[in-house]
Amino acid sequence: MVSNFAPGAGAGFSLSFANSTCTIGAFTNGSSILWTGSVSTDWSNAANWSGCQVPTCSTPETNAIIPAGYVNPPVINGNASCRNITINAGATLTFGATAVFSVCGDYNNQGNVVAQTGSRVIFEGPNTGSYNFTDASHPVAGTQNLDGNLTGPNGFHHVDVFKSAINQEVNANQDIEIKGDMNVGIRVPTALNNTTSYFDVSGKYHKQGGHFTVYGVSPSSSIYNPGSTLEFNGSVNQNYRNNGVLNSVFLNQSAASTVTLINHTFASSYLNISTAGTLTFTQGRVISPGGANGYVNVQNNSPAAVNGGNATSYIQNALSANATLRRYYQAGATGIYEFPIGTALRGYNRLSFNITTALTPAPTYLTATFNNTVPVTPSGVWSECGITYHTAGVTPLNHGFWQISLFPTAALTGGTYNMSLYSNGHSNNAPGHGVMYSRGSNTAAGWQMNPLPMSPCFANGIAPTLRQGMSASVTFNSALPAFFAVAQSNNPLPVELLSLDATPFQKSIRVSWTTASELNNRGFYLQRSLNGVDFTSIKWIDGNGTTNQVNEYGYIDKDVKGNVVYYYRLLQVDFNGEENDSKIVAARLNQDGFVFDAKPNPYVHSTKISFELTQTSNITAEVINPLGQNVTTLIQGLQEEGVYEFDFSARKYGFANGVYTVRLIVNGTVYTKRLFEHQ
């Protein structure tokens, strides 16, 4: 009650609330409260809010709006909550190290967020059910949307998603970065968990710096498909537990650490990649615990679905005899199926399975692992290309052997492949190396050399040991898995050939090859054939004598016609006159349009980027890293027609091995190609 006791008062007086910062009247569900910061930075102080009431997820559920025109910027310490949170452009919200901020509605950051280490945001609405409505932004009642700036300095530290119904999803509508732990179905502060929480990142890029845990039993508890990428970029060891299917996964830790796969107790792989996803390694090891489902499963059957791999980034199996990486096979496909695998004891031991003619009958998938067990020395002495293996005192490389299993387990009747074995963790390296195989038996009688003629008869090192032209019907002729190991000799062949390629352009064919080492190498005759049998020398190229350096060679054959298949091989000649043939490669002129290539790719030392201009064009060719930074500009400006070639190595420019992109712009049209540089 207000009374006027002034003597002689007639009409009384009026009250003015024009300068008040408090709202007169009760708040209802969905009301918005504006931050003023008129007293301090303390979020929990009601005097800092326009209605003299702190927003909350309790009844009534109220929205928080942080405008740019505040006196003090808000800081959350301890527990706080709201329905919708909107941070306007120019405003900043800080989550202190002890902050536990519950959001039961939408999160929209158009300004700036500072998430201190240890802070946590929990998406868990609706609390009372009043937010259980539908509209264009919330097609399912109870869904929550994350919008605005969610990455880099605006990223989160810890995030919990804790929903009461599986259809009440939390949608990341923008790329998102979580520097701490990500928990779906776990509310860490109250030690609660459920199987009804749902986090959808379809089509977006998620950077994850801490542990990633999905408690739900349903694969739909975490939606990273289609078109999304989950990047592990932490600087310390991370854990991953999820029964769901991911799209693309990128191992790119800021410091060489691990991502350990945790048993989710369900009948599926511990890390599952979708039919459209990719798995890329630059830094960080995936630790696979072994067991029935403790492997990485890549459902994408394209040869290019797995990329990268090096001494700090591969799949490490805790139990060396168990499955490590399963890759689905595309019926009729040829190409390189990479298996960047290894163990804690032996380290990185990559296997490269280059299918040159399709496997028949087509297996559904191939599963590979590396076994630490020392290969038994074969009972016989073998000769191949004039080199004798396992004479007295010479044993196979003693770090272990690789195993490939097929499903279904029926014997193969057709297909050829080149096998490359990258060896580490051994202690008995001899001068010469070859690939030996066994049909599921590590015994003296079980190990054999491929009975088909060796092609090429070029030396093999241990990074890799390469065997061309292996027969699938010989090595996979039963239901047993195939074992592969490195045979050794005291007598190496004169040239260690890393690659031989023929690249067709519209008016020419480029033949290129790379050697890892040479011994008394006088040079090469490049030979050409129209039928793959009768060869004629078309060019002599000098060798480099004796060297342990990588050397690259190439020749552009312009004496070619359309609709004709040309076969090429090398005839390597020693200074003492001895000759060795290489494998055969084939190409015909490309008449389908623009040619833009990089070979070899993946590569260890360097790759050759090439393209052909059929007319004078304004071009820019540059290489960029995963952060979009320019590594080098290869060429720029107006260029005449012709074939252009550039050698590239990231390490030459001071960058680490990993994934890079060549971006070529020709008269405004953009072409890109990914490069995979191994250590």
Side-chain angles (χ1 to χ4, degrees):
M1 175 181 292
V2 178
S3 298
N4 187 348
F5 294 101
F13 60 89
S14 61
L15 297 177
S16 173
F17 297 95
N19 296 319
S20 173
T21 60
C22 295
T23 299
I24 302 300
F27 287 98
T28 60
N29 285 318
S31 296
S32 295
I33 305 177
L34 200 69
W35 171 266
T36 63
S38 58
V39 175
S40 66
T41 62
D42 184 4
W43 173 286
S44 62
N45 189 333
N48 287 317
W49 294 94
S50 61
C52 290
Q53 179 175 314
V54 180
T56 180
C57 263
S58 301
T59 304
E61 297 172 8
T62 46
N63 304 324
I65 299 176
I66 315 299
Y70 46 59
V71 178
N72 295 293
V75 177
I76 298 176
N77 289 298
N79 295 330
S81 67
C82 72
R83 187 178 186 179
N84 295 336
I85 172 72
T86 301
I87 304 144
N88 289 340
T92 298
L93 170 63
T94 298
F95 298 125
T98 63
V100 177
F101 184 50
S102 297
V103 180
C104 58
D106 294 340
Y107 178 99
N108 190 339
N109 175 24
Q110 300 300 324
N112 304 285
V113 163
V114 178
Q116 294 181 1
T117 301
S119 62
R120 184 178 305 273
V121 177
I122 305 175
F123 297 98
E124 56 180 346
N127 190 41
T128 66
S130 61
Y131 194 60
N132 199 29
F133 62 85
T134 62
D135 62 15
S137 299
H138 309 85
V140 177
T143 58
Q144 295 176 261
N145 294 311
L146 281 59
D147 278 296
N149 305 319
L150 309 176
T151 61
N154 293 291
F156 301 94
H157 193 69
H158 299 314
V159 169
D160 296 351
V161 173
F162 198 74
K163 303 289 289 181
S164 59
I166 193 67
N167 65 338
Q168 296 177 357
E169 59 191 68
V170 174
N171 301 312
N173 297 326
Q174 308 295 332
D175 294 344
I176 186 170
E177 182 169 358
I178 299 172
K179 301 179 174 82
D181 298 340
M182 173 72 195
N183 299 292
V184 179
I186 300 175
R187 196 182 192 280
V188 172
T190 51
L192 297 175
N193 55 62
N194 65 30
T195 60
T196 57
S197 296
Y198 184 114
F199 187 52
D200 190 341
V201 199
S202 296
K204 305 305 176 187
Y205 199 103
H206 176 177
K207 290 186 176 182
Q208 181 63 35
H211 302 317
F212 183 102
T213 303
V214 177
Y215 192 81
V217 298
S218 170
S220 62
S221 296
S222 60
I223 305 299
Y224 282 79
N225 186 40
S228 64
T229 297
L230 176 61
E231 176 185 328
F232 292 98
N233 69 342
S235 60
V236 296
N237 294 340
Q238 301 175 249
N239 293 336
Y240 173 83
R241 181 192 188 273
N242 181 20
N243 186 37
V245 179
L246 301 177
N247 188 59
S248 293
V249 173
F250 184 19
L251 269 294
N252 189 36
Q253 293 182 311
S254 56
S257 304
T258 61
V259 175
T260 298
L261 307 184
I262 305 299
N263 186 351
H264 49 55
T265 73
F266 303 105
S268 63
S269 163
Y270 291 178
L271 176 57
N272 209 350
I273 308 295
S274 76
T275 56
T278 59
L279 177 60
T280 302
F281 294 87
T282 59
Q283 185 156 263
R285 289 168 291 142
V286 174
I287 307 299
S288 175
N293 298 310
Y295 58 89
V296 176
N297 187 47
V298 180
Q299 299 179 51
N300 185 346
N301 59 19
S302 168
V306 176
N307 305 295
N310 55 68
T312 67
S313 194
Y314 59 94
I315 305 171
Q316 176 182 303
N317 203 331
L319 302 174
S320 67
N322 287 79
T324 301
L325 174 58
R326 175 176 293 173
R327 297 203 54 185
Y328 279 66
Y329 174 66
Q330 180 180 346
T334 59
I336 302 175
Y337 284 79
E338 295 284 1
F339 292 87
I341 58 179
T343 64
L345 179 63
R346 306 299 191 191
Y348 178 49
N349 282 275
R350 167 185 160 207
L351 180 149
S352 183
F353 194 67
N354 184 1
I355 300 171
T356 52
T357 58
L359 304 180
T360 55
T364 303
Y365 54 74
L366 303 83
T367 303
T369 191
F370 185 79
N371 194 311
N372 294 329
T373 306
V374 176
V376 174
T377 302
S379 54
V381 176
W382 307 323
S383 292
E384 200 170 48
C385 294
I387 299 300
T388 302
Y389 292 88
H390 302 146
T391 55
V394 181
T395 60
L397 212 59
N398 64 1
H399 64 321
F401 59 86
W402 293 261
Q403 174 181 324
I404 294 183
S405 302
L406 306 181
F407 180 85
T409 55
L412 298 184
T413 59
T416 57
Y417 61 94
N418 303 331
M419 178 63 70
S420 296
L421 307 176
Y422 295 76
S423 301
N424 286 293
H426 46 76
S427 60
N428 66 332
N429 186 26
H433 307 88
V435 174
M436 63 183 191
Y437 78 96
S438 174
R439 302 183 188 96
S441 173
N442 182 21
T443 62
W447 289 107
Q448 304 175 54
M449 281 283 203
N450 197 44
L452 297 182
M454 182 70 165
S455 177
C457 289
F458 278 46
N460 283 313
I462 55 176
T465 302
L466 171 65
R467 178 62 161 83
Q468 306 277 2
M470 297 193 78
S471 168
S473 62
V474 171
T475 52
F476 296 97
N477 71 343
S478 71
L480 296 173
F483 295 170
F484 298 91
V486 178
Q488 297 203 100
S489 168
N490 281 327
N491 301 307
L493 282 160
V495 173
E496 183 180 341
L497 188 67
L498 288 178
S499 65
L500 172 62
D501 296 292
T503 303
F505 295 99
Q506 294 190 32
K507 297 181 180 180
S508 62
I509 296 174
R510 177 174 63 84
V511 184
S512 59
W513 62 100
T514 304
T515 64
S517 64
E518 301 175 25
L519 178 65
N520 296 322
N521 179 30
R522 178 170 169 260
F524 307 90
Y525 284 107
L526 176 60
Q527 298 185 322
R528 188 178 69 184
S529 170
L530 296 178
N531 58 13
V533 177
D534 304 309
F535 284 85
T536 302
S537 296
I538 61 172
K539 180 68 175 179
W540 169 261
I541 296 180
D542 290 337
N544 282 279
T546 298
T547 176
N548 288 320
Q549 301 297 315
V550 173
N551 286 284
E552 297 178 347
Y553 301 88
Y555 176 72
I556 296 178
D557 186 4
K558 298 180 179 179
D559 186 20
V560 288
K561 300 177 181 179
N563 298 318
V564 177
V565 177
Y566 293 92
Y567 300 87
Y568 299 91
R569 74 179 183 188
L570 300 174
L571 181 65
Q572 184 269 326
V573 182
D574 289 354
F575 282 111
N576 61 8
E578 291 187 8
E579 299 177 345
N580 295 290
D581 291 336
S582 76
K583 70 172 182 177
I584 298 171
V585 294
R588 77 165 82 195
L589 292 181
N590 188 317
Q591 298 176 327
D592 297 329
F594 184 68
V595 180
F596 175 33
D597 206 359
K599 290 184 178 179
N601 191 29
Y603 59 95
V604 175
H605 300 284
S606 66
T607 187
K608 188 176 291 292
I609 300 165
S610 60
F611 57 89
E612 182 181 31
L613 300 179
T614 57
Q615 61 182 11
T616 299
S617 304
N618 191 9
I619 69 170
T620 298
E622 61 178 349
V623 180
I624 56 178
N625 67 10
L627 299 177
Q629 299 168 327
N630 178 277
V631 176
T632 183
T633 299
L634 303 172
I635 191 172
Q636 191 171 32
L638 194 65
Q639 307 297 329
E640 297 180 351
E641 72 171 281
V643 174
Y644 291 79
E645 298 180 311
F646 304 91
D647 293 325
F648 174 76
S649 168
R651 279 164 286 189
K652 174 183 176 182
Y653 297 97
F655 288 81
N657 57 283
V659 181
Y660 294 86
T661 300
V662 187
R663 183 164 57 197
L664 175 63
I665 306 174
V666 181
N667 294 330
T669 301
V670 179
Y671 305 88
T672 60
K673 183 171 291 292
R674 297 178 77 186
L675 305 177
F676 304 97
E677 184 166 324
H678 296 293
Q679 190 171 33

